[in-house]
Amino acid sequence: MGIESLCSADASEPFWDWNLTWHTENPDFTQCFQNTILVWIPCIYLWACFPVYFLYLRCHDRGYIQMSNLNKAKTALGLILWIVCWADLFYSFWERSQNIFRAPFFLISPTVLGITMLLATFLIQYERMKGVQSSGVMTIFWLISLLCATVIFRSKIIFALNTGAEVDAFRYVTFCTYFILLLVQLILCCFPEQPPLFSETVNDPKPCPEFSASFLSRITFWWITGLMIQGYRRPLEAKDLWSLNKEDTSEEIVPGLARNWAKEWAKTKRQPLNILYSSKKQQKSDSNGDVTEEAEALIIKPSQKNYEASLFKVLYKTFGPYFLMSFLFKAAHDLLMFTGPEILKLLINFVNDKHAPDWQGYFYTGLLFVCACLQTLILHQYFHICFVTGMRLKTAIVGVIYRKALVITNSARKTSTVGEIVNLMSVDAQRFMDLATYINMIWSAPLQVILALYLLWQNLGPSVLAGVAVMILLVPINAVMAMKTKTYQKAQMKSKDNRIKLMNEILNGIKVLKLYAWELAFREKVLEIRQKELKVLKKSAYLAAMATFTWVCAPFLVALSTFAVYVKIDKNNVLDAQKAFVSLALFNILRFPLNMLPMVISSIVEASVSLKRLRVFLSHEELDPDSIIRRPTRDAEGSIIVKNATFSWSRNDPPSLNSINFTVPEGSLIAVVGQVGCGKSSLLSALLGEMDKKEGHVVVKGSVAYVPQQAWVQNATLKDNIIFGREMNESRYKRVIEACALLPDIEILPTGDRTEIGEKGVNLSGGQKQRVSLARAVYCNADVYLFDDPLSAVDAHVGKHIFEKVIGPKGILKNKTRVLVTHAVNYLPQMDTILVMSDGEISEMGSYQELLKQDGAFAEFLRTYANAEQSMENSDANSPSGKEGKPVENGVIVNEAPGKLMHRQLSNSSTYSRETGKSQHQSSTAELQKPLAEKNSWKLTEADTAKTGRVKATVYWDYMKAIGLFISFLSIFLFMCNHVASLASNYWLSLWTDDPVINGTQQYTNVRLGVYGALGISQGIAVFGYSMVVSIGGIFASRHLHLNLLHNVLRSPMSFFERTPSGNLVNRFSKEIDTIDSTIPPIIKMFMGSTFNVIGACIIILLATPIAAVIIPPLGLVYLFVQRFYVATSRQLKRLESVSRSPVYSHFNETLLGVSVIRAFEEQKRFIKQNDMKVDENQKAYYPSIVANRWLAVRLEYVGNCIVLFAALFAVITRNKLSPGLVGLSVSYSLQITAYLNWLVRMSSELETNIVAVERVKEYAEMEKEAEWSIEQTAPASTWPEEGKVEFRGYGLRYREDLDLVLKNINVTINGGEKIGIVGRTGAGKSSLTLGLFRINEAAEGEIIIDGINIAKIGLHDLRFKITIIPQDPILFSGSLRMNLDPFDQHSDEDIWRSLELAHLKNFVSALPDKLNHECAEGGENLSVGQRQLVCLARALLRKSKILVLDEATAAVDLETDNLIQSTIKSQFEECTVLTIAHRLNTIMDYTRVLVLDRGEVVECGSPDSLLQEKGIFYNMAKDSGLV
């Protein structure tokens, strides 16, 4: 009654009239409703939004936008609207003065509307001040106002045309003006304003268009279209990406989280601990020092129980407010989801009711479409918020971990390995990203289930419970299967890890495998592991088939049980179209949350584990920055002062340095010496503040530079490594490089000091790394220098140079304070002071002379050391294998950094010490330049193959062939069967619902139910069948592809391994094979499933309303176009994202390894900034890829919504011919089609990105192969070679077609049993000769003949089994010692023990617990280098062939072992031909002949004595070695 009194003075006009509004051909609202409710709706909306929006704008200020014409127009229109509204009001007052009394609303509505218009105008200006470029709130307000006004406008026009009633002319005019102004406002609102002044976007080269886009563009993600078009035209590159939005960058996000965490962490620290610490300080460390320590620990523990820092709370605080928006969106979406089935119900009723006016059908159709569209927009806004939150979470977590890693103590570092911390960044951060999209399901899934059940109950009554029971039964079954799958996955991962480990070793030791012809033995080992892996895969395939079966059949079983119970309970229960199809639609909705819940729960469990790991890591102890006082240099006392200091590595460890007292005067040079493990390095760490100071007082004045014992090199250019973030100073830089003896090295490197150094410095030798590390310290020009034994890694000659030029009294640093830890006794006399350490205390200190006089421990140490040094120096100083030459670069480097260095010529990096070094460098640099340039170009193409453009159809065909064509077509046939059965069962249901009802019951209930059930069961069988077939087929394919890949890689020539980074190969064996194993089959299933689902839905719609044939093909084309458009861009974005991801991890790895250096140089800020940049670089590619997904989904769902629209529309148009069953069928199918379409695109792009794995695995099948392993026809006799005579006839060799010859016309005949030494300068072609003998490289010209057989004519294995080599780098494989000696199990144990005895290993091996079964670690790490060399000797003794090649086999062993090996070879291989490539000339002085090679030619040949007489090259080399 209340509202009606507003509408007319006497309340005579009704507020609502059904006859006027609903039961009529021409609906309209009553005047009263129009003038009150319709006018007030927009006002209520705006006033409700105003307080929230106003606060939001106050907090989010984006800067100030200048007045533009657009803004002026909007404001002016707002004011005119207010004037128009109030013109009505004043007109009403005027009428009153004329005594015309109108209804109250003529006063109320204009007043309210006018004030609202003023508010709108205010908001337009306020938004401009706060920098909002396009406003959603206002756009929606104008839209609602316009919609309400349209209804009134139509009504007014009808009223004016129909009756001859008098028209209120003034009000009509004002209303028309109002309507037109609203329309203009709405149009203006669709255009964005210009960006605010002083905003980031102005200085940004590529700003993200998101914020300058209009509201409409933002909700439909239209703003990314530009990038999509670009990506469609050509593959995107990193430079095409936009910058990140300011609120997504690391520098915005990370500090927020760090602050909140610090606050939270401080709370835990507020326990009463402080008192304890103070009591601890007063006690001097005496006997009860340890007791307090205990007490302290005891008191800390209970107090920590009551409050643990909650990381969840912190994350919620940081990201919660933004994330909360997603709650609202999700709730709105869930409610809208149920409008579909409800409108379907009304539609079916409408088709049933032949008298209903037509417009109602169109109204329902429109409503269905609008709801579907709203649902789409809301859902994707929700997803967008979730993904952006996920992205920010990851950024924040990575940033916080990085910052923490720079400050944690060493003891904390021990508890978290580098791998674990990197995992925190990659795996755990990823878990949070995944969780962000799921977490709302925790409340949303139950909400959906409850709503669906409520609606179902209304529809079918209690028989719903049957269906629900089936669903609930399926949940535990699914859960059990998930658990099982997990255990299988673990087992599979385990065999996969073993396989990859083995593959890694095979690839690292491939040269040895080839030399020994062991490929087949190792192939068997890999296949054995692979067999286990496939067994587990098969089991999980059966499980997957079961899972697919339950997942596909669940909706059907549920429907079947429900309908069966419903019709059986009561004869009068009639299954009509409305009940059946509305229930089906609801069951389809139910299926999703029930299946999601287990996933969400497991995802939450995983995330909580990650949360705990993160919390533990972030709660680690941090270094106390104040333990060492770093003051700038002023006071005269000295530049390092340590008083009564005691240090330990962590709080609860016993102290490792006790009561240290010393003062270092400014500018002095101090040596720290002592036995191994006496605390020399710890002392330096203590001065750097890396240790925990228990007591005492330490001052270090001024800046510090530090050279660690293990050089730390960054993956950057050589120059960047030295400059290390300081500004460039040319002259200083030159001086430093000169002093650190880096010039000759820089000459060798392919691009000088701009050469990129690989990870961990793989392409530098140990000595070069150490010198780079030294140069970095020298360049930074600090006040105090701490050197931790930098001279140990370089050879004696270079060491001397560095000491003189850098560290010593005449070096660059002569005015700085230097502390040098050293083992080299010969430099000690030049020191100002020497500290002698033993067991963590300083036992003596003083100058060299003083200490000698005291005749204490130091003098003793000197006597023992000096003698050894003297003798060592004589043998070492001149031989090129000084200390630095140890890992004689040859094999090692080629294995480690194939991309960077060429074969052999590089050994000169270690031979800087030769006088002739200079000229030789010049020649070899030229040689180096060529191959390197090519190598790089080659390497780039290597990395990028199979990366761009669409995947070719042949790849799919290859995969089908790998599965087997019969199986492929069988699976397609079973798919067809399944979908035909599914369509048939639903069609049958529609026929059933159309059965006429006689006397309240349907006739053939039982038949209908029986057939329905039978069709369902056949569908189930087909599902199970195709699931099994696809899974088994997948296993066939992966077995076949892996076998091929393995075989082809093992058959590749050596050159292939040298130019292919081993990472690439391992990646093929791990990542790509894993994809083929476990990712492709399920994707194929889902892809086929969704394809057939979409086709099925279209068929049903066509059956119901054939006229839809006009509309489906064009929609299909739009769909295909959008999809192709998207795939091109998204594929490239995915690649950019993964390419930019690895630098984040490798930089992090590097930082962890060099954290003490970074802290010493105080470069933390720069490294944090670098890390932030790398993370942002990665997110820059990730952000567009999320948006591209949303863009696609919105477009596709609109295609789907159009199908819904047309299905419903045609049903309404042809309703007289249609049965309600068919309408229900076609509309319920069309409601699902959006989900299917989404799925289809997701799956097709997934399939395309993953099938690339097949392509990449096949890629290596087409590579060049080496010669056949064995050739039946030409196989030599089993006793060959009988005398061991080797002839080289005009032999020449080159490494690649386009390179010069490395060996040229070599003519040498070696008689059986001769012992030949091969010598020559580095790079003369010594090793190339052996490579030729083993046919690792085929001859370029000439031939090698052994005992009358040309070796090029026989199989490789036939050749390699008959010659034995003891290689230069002794490589062992992980496995038993026995396997390493005899992988083919050809020899008896006695033979093996005999060979061990001759190799002087018998005592060592029999002392091992497992004897011959002793497990060697990867690369033989658990044996010393010398022992490994002896194992290689034992291998040679076992094979006992006529020809033995020694490749610098003794370079890595000490003199004693060397003599052992030489004597064994002399006695055991007396009648064999022995070729030795020698570095230490004394080993070959008693050989029959010596070949001297130079630049690939034989220059001298004869017995050692005769060559010495000739005074040629050999004589000079002997002179260098001190043999003459």
Side-chain angles (χ1 to χ4, degrees), residues 612-625:
K612 189 166 169 222
R613 287 176 46 173
L614 262 176
R615 196 194 66 226
V616 168
F617 178 70
L618 291 178
S619 311
H620 276 326
E621 286 181 45
E622 298 184 4
L623 288 175
D624 175 17

Side-chain angles (χ1 to χ4, degrees), residues 54-63 130-132 247 322:
F54 184 71
L55 286 174
Y56 170 81
L57 284 180
R58 278 196 54 178
C59 305
H60 294 69
D61 192 348
R62 290 187 168 280
K130 294 293 178 192
V132 178
E247 48 268 23
Y322 178 73

Side-chain angles (χ1 to χ4, degrees), residues 1043-1106:
L1043 189 64
N1044 267 0
L1045 175 67
L1046 180 63
H1047 187 71
N1048 286 327
V1049 166
L1050 289 178
R1051 287 268 333 264
S1052 298
M1054 210 44 227
S1055 56
F1056 167 76
F1057 295 97
E1058 276 155 8
R1059 62 169 187 229
T1060 310
S1062 64
N1064 281 14
L1065 284 168
V1066 173
N1067 210 359
R1068 295 288 196 278
F1069 278 102
S1070 56
K1071 185 89 182 58
E1072 319 294 1
I1073 291 286
D1074 184 49
T1075 303
I1076 293 172
D1077 283 349
S1078 44
T1079 321
I1080 293 184
I1083 284 182
I1084 286 183
K1085 270 189 261 186
M1086 290 196 263
F1087 172 72
M1088 301 279 282
S1090 35
T1091 312
F1092 281 115
N1093 273 333
V1094 171
I1095 295 171
C1098 290
I1099 289 174
I1100 287 283
I1101 293 173
L1102 286 173
L1103 275 179
T1105 52

Side-chain angles (χ1 to χ4, degrees), residues 671-686:
V672 181
V673 295
Q675 300 297 333
V676 175
C678 65
K680 302 187 294 292
S681 298
S682 302
L683 182 66
L684 295 193
S685 298

